[in-house]
Amino acid sequence: MSYSAYLWGRARDELVGELVSLGFREELGDAVARQLGSPKAMERMTAYLRNVKPRSEELVVDEMLAICSEIAAWREKKASEEANARYNEMLYYGIGGDGPDDD
């Protein structure tokens, strides 16, 4: 088992355990963990569960969707920044010019 798989499993187990301790089904925890996808997102969701202690599945799913939306917005921002950096290099060095990455 790789280290990233270990981290994912540990974060999933904590998330599911927290949901079960709040009275929700384990299946909900599995679905939320799969949807969030990364250990960091699952840890963020676990922190929400510990602090807010939501009483309905709707509140749990709503927070999961909010976290997914913020992750998607962050990825889009990073892609936009990368595209902007490439565009600025093209403006500075010209098309096919000797950029900083060209040797």
Side-chain angles (χ1 to χ4, degrees), residues 11-50:
R12 180 219 164 269
D13 291 346
E14 286 184 34
L15 174 62
V16 171
E18 194 63 37
L19 277 168
V20 169
S21 75
L22 291 172
F24 298 106
R25 295 181 321 230
E26 187 173 336
E27 292 81 16
L28 176 63
D30 288 333
V32 169
R34 279 193 313 273
Q35 184 65 35
L36 290 171
S38 74
K40 190 169 185 173
M42 286 186 264
E43 289 167 4
R44 189 169 159 195
M45 184 72 189
T46 302
Y48 164 79
L49 295 170
R50 287 180 180 149

Side-chain angles (χ1 to χ4, degrees), residues 24-79:
F24 298 106
R25 295 181 321 230
E26 187 173 336
E27 292 81 16
L28 176 63
D30 288 333
V32 169
R34 279 193 313 273
Q35 184 65 35
L36 290 171
S38 74
K40 190 169 185 173
M42 286 186 264
E43 289 167 4
R44 189 169 159 195
M45 184 72 189
T46 302
Y48 164 79
L49 295 170
R50 287 180 180 149
N51 291 316
V52 176
K53 298 188 186 332
R55 296 288 176 210
S56 70
E57 289 182 355
E58 290 81 9
L59 289 174
V60 173
V61 172
D62 186 52
E63 183 64 19
M64 177 200 69
L65 292 173
I67 292 170
C68 290
S69 176
E70 288 176 11
I71 291 169
W74 179 84
R75 286 181 179 153
E76 186 176 323
K77 177 182 176 223
K78 290 299 174 185

